[in-house]
Amino acid sequence: MSDAVSAFQPVVEFDADLIARLSRNGPRYTSYPTADRFSESFGYRDFLHAVADLRTRGGGKPLSLYLHIPFCDTVCYYCACNKIVTKHREKAATYLAYLKREVEMQGRLFAGMNDVEQLHFGGGTPTYLSDAQMADLTAHLRRCFRFAPDAVGEYSIEIDPRTVSQERVHGLRRQGFNRISLGVQDFDPDVQRAVNRIQPEAATRAIIAAARDAHFRSVSLDLIYGLPKQTPATMRTTLDKVIDAAPDRIAVYHYAHLPHLFKPQRRIVDADMPDSDAKLRMLQLCIERLTAAGYVYIGMDHFARPNDDLAVAQRQGRLHRNFQGYSTHADADLVACGVSAIGAVGATYSQNVKTLDAYYAALDRNELPVARGARLSMDDALRRTIIQRLMCQFELSVSTIELAFPIAFHAHFAREMAQLAELERDGLVELAPDWISVTSKGRLLIRNVCMVFDRYLATRGPATHSRTV
């Protein structure tokens, strides 16, 4: 790592006492307002109006596409995703036919409104689709939308290494994907058995090697801490193996054990769960080991190499956060296709229906399957901008906000500034007349800082969010 890059590397400081005292339930702020504030009063026609408004204004932003493939052939007990576990592959063929119909409808709506510069396939397991089905779908996407060249666009797919061969990885690259994300969670065999995800290290390493050979621009690994049977010792071993594999990005998620909400989690044995102290020590270990290995702490759960696009975007003030996590494409309208998928177009959010039957029924009526959403007020847009800046850059220029919005910041946010003063006493932020800066200790509790600006928290019902750390 060069000295020039090292000078930019963000510093994060682990303070166990502070985390234990201040950690609470709170949103992850992949959007603001958060998805639990979306309303069923926002529907298909509201989405059409949003696109029409975009076209009237000239549609100057690039597009980002998200496609949700909900199928898996086995259930991982920790999973809280919207998924359908089935061995009946014909269900995917039916879904694919309807998904292509939705893609075509969206393509007509956005025709001529700039290039797609970002594509993300999530799930479920996107590679549940066969190689032929994936080739058919990606070709259909390129017929319906105009894509930026490979060197410009960021085209990513989440894969389960247990479901693909090395040859399939090369096939995904030929189909246009240039970033790949591998679910690992943990390399320890006992942990894998406890969550019903047996995934030999050798198989994962082979897929990483195939991705390198296929010239994927970036390889990302997903880990989870707080799983059953995990200990700081097993986490250290997993981290050693991850660092040796040298991915470009690493996501380390906190496992939220909510068996009352997610049925598969009921199969996890409570006695196998690590206690709060062990989980904190695992988090501390992840931060210390990954930063020592040269990774930059991007924020929340994400680490990246200093020369990775995420780290570069953060240094340049271009980092963004959306429903897929951190992104380098801050100025893109997000078009989402598939059951339960969430998009963001103009000053609106929209979410598709959550069941296959409802999804198919809407498309049979020649309607986009929008079930709910939100139209942002000026106050929403203001607070979204503030939360985005804090989440992505860990600092906020007051004068920049005042230039963008017709407010006197300190008067408008008098209540919030009083709350921030309390967080300053706790060591999470530093306040100056024109700046709000998150400290190295506060970065792990960034959700706490952002929650100060969330006006919906006081009116929300019982919290279903995960702990902030």
Side-chain angles (χ1 to χ4, degrees):
M1 192 190 310
S2 71
D3 290 340
V5 171
S6 297
F8 284 109
Q9 182 163 336
V11 176
V12 58
E13 186 177 348
F14 185 92
D15 186 325
D17 292 338
L18 191 67
I19 292 169
R21 181 163 57 86
L22 296 182
S23 181
R24 51 185 287 207
N25 295 80
R28 298 178 62 83
Y29 292 113
T30 52
S31 71
Y32 181 85
T34 51
D36 58 331
R37 302 305 307 185
F38 294 177
S39 168
E40 292 180 359
S41 65
F42 184 101
Y44 167 51
R45 286 166 181 78
D46 298 285
F47 177 78
L48 294 182
H49 286 308
V51 179
D53 289 345
L54 202 64
R55 188 176 290 280
T56 300
R57 294 197 304 272
K61 294 181 179 180
L63 296 178
S64 175
L65 294 181
Y66 173 70
L67 270 72
H68 189 75
I69 311 297
F71 300 103
C72 297
D73 60 11
T74 58
V75 61
C76 300
Y77 296 163
Y78 57 81
C79 187
C81 296
N82 184 44
K83 63 194 174 299
I84 298 163
V85 181
T86 178
K87 300 288 187 182
H88 299 291
R89 298 280 166 165
E90 66 276 9
K91 288 191 175 183
T94 302
Y95 181 76
L96 183 58
Y98 279 93
L99 180 62
K100 288 169 63 179
R101 191 183 303 179
E102 184 187 7
V103 166
E104 186 174 359
M105 293 169 69
Q106 293 278 22
R108 287 199 299 267
L109 280 177
F110 287 88
M113 292 170 65
N114 298 307
D115 292 351
V116 172
E117 291 190 358
Q118 189 175 44
L119 170 69
H120 186 85
F121 273 57
T125 305
T127 46
Y128 186 93
L129 298 181
S130 69
D131 191 52
Q133 288 173 325
M134 187 67 75
D136 178 57
L137 179 54
T138 53
H140 183 72
L141 281 167
R142 292 179 182 275
R143 285 192 296 269
C144 296
F145 289 92
R146 191 176 64 220
F147 280 71
D150 181 79
V152 175
E154 181 178 282
Y155 307 131
S156 62
I157 185 169
E158 301 170 9
I159 69 165
D160 179 343
R162 301 173 301 167
T163 67
V164 297
S165 64
Q166 295 177 58
E167 292 76 19
R168 180 76 192 274
V169 172
H170 283 266
L172 292 170
R173 186 67 183 96
R174 288 191 296 271
Q175 288 157 8
F177 296 102
N178 55 26
R179 294 186 180 275
I180 196 167
S181 175
L182 285 71
V184 173
Q185 322 322 341
D186 195 299
F187 278 123
D188 186 84
D190 289 337
V191 176
Q192 291 181 358
R193 281 190 289 271
V195 297
N196 196 41
R197 187 186 176 101
I198 307 301
Q199 184 174 317
E201 178 191 353
T204 302
R205 295 293 290 261
I207 297 305
I208 294 172
R212 300 291 190 201
D213 291 343
H215 303 294
F216 275 84
R217 191 185 309 163
S218 173
V219 177
S220 176
L221 299 187
D222 291 347
L223 305 176
I224 300 177
Y225 73 94
L227 292 173
K229 298 285 190 182
Q230 273 183 336
T231 67
T234 65
M235 179 58 72
R236 179 179 292 277
T237 300
T238 287
L239 289 169
D240 288 342
K241 294 176 179 180
V242 167
I243 291 167
D244 186 62
D248 302 283
R249 299 176 184 176
I250 301 168
V252 186
Y253 298 109
H254 172 231
Y255 170 60
H257 190 55
L258 302 169
H260 60 290
L261 294 179
F262 306 111
K263 190 174 180 180
Q265 295 185 359
R266 298 171 196 171
R267 303 187 192 185
I268 289 175
V269 179
D270 287 341
D272 290 340
M273 293 296 296
D275 60 25
S276 297
D277 179 66
K279 286 190 284 187
L280 278 181
R281 284 186 286 132
M282 283 188 261
L283 173 61
Q284 180 177 11
L285 191 63
C286 290
I287 293 167
E288 292 175 351
R289 293 286 290 115
L290 294 178
T291 53
Y295 287 90
V296 175
Y297 178 74
I298 299 297
M300 287 286 290
D301 326 284
H302 287 67
F303 298 80
R305 293 196 171 281
N307 59 351
D308 183 87
D309 287 350
L310 279 184
V312 173
Q314 186 173 59
R315 292 198 297 271
Q316 296 177 348
R318 297 185 293 104
L319 194 65
H320 178 64
R321 187 161 172 80
N322 63 22
F323 298 102
Q324 284 74 59
Y326 286 101
S327 166
T328 59
H329 291 257
D331 56 349
D333 285 298
L334 175 60
V335 181
C337 298
V339 64
S340 79
I342 304 177
V345 173
T348 69
Y349 294 114
S350 57
Q351 182 173 25
N352 281 352
V353 294
K354 294 185 177 182
T355 68
L356 290 184
D357 287 345
Y359 182 70
Y360 298 158
L363 290 165
D364 282 338
R365 295 192 302 269
N366 290 315
E367 294 183 359
L368 289 172
V370 176
R372 63 190 193 123
R375 184 177 295 278
L376 274 66
S377 66
M378 184 62 74
D379 183 71
D380 291 333
L382 166 62
R383 292 170 185 271
R384 176 172 72 171
T385 299
I386 291 169
I387 288 170
Q388 278 276 345
R389 297 276 174 85
L390 290 170
M391 291 290 292
C392 295
Q393 309 304 143
F394 296 119
E395 62 181 10
L396 179 75
S397 165
V398 170
S399 59
T400 298
I401 296 298
E402 290 179 333
L403 284 172
F405 295 90
I407 64 163
F409 190 96
H410 288 278
H412 188 86
F413 290 115
R415 180 182 61 84
E416 288 83 355
M417 293 306 298
Q419 293 178 27
L420 286 178
E422 294 180 16
L423 295 184
E424 185 177 38
R425 288 191 286 274
D426 285 322
L428 270 63
V429 298
E430 294 176 351
L431 303 178
D434 192 50
W435 287 94
I436 298 170
S437 302
V438 182
T439 67
S440 57
K441 289 183 179 181
R443 292 184 177 199
L444 285 175
L445 289 157
I446 185 61
R447 290 158 70 183
N448 292 58
V449 179
C450 292
M451 286 163 69
V452 168
F453 291 96
D454 187 339
R455 73 180 181 89
Y456 293 103
L457 282 178
T459 60
R460 187 175 283 121
T464 58
H465 300 294
S466 61
R467 304 287 289 179
T468 50
V469 180

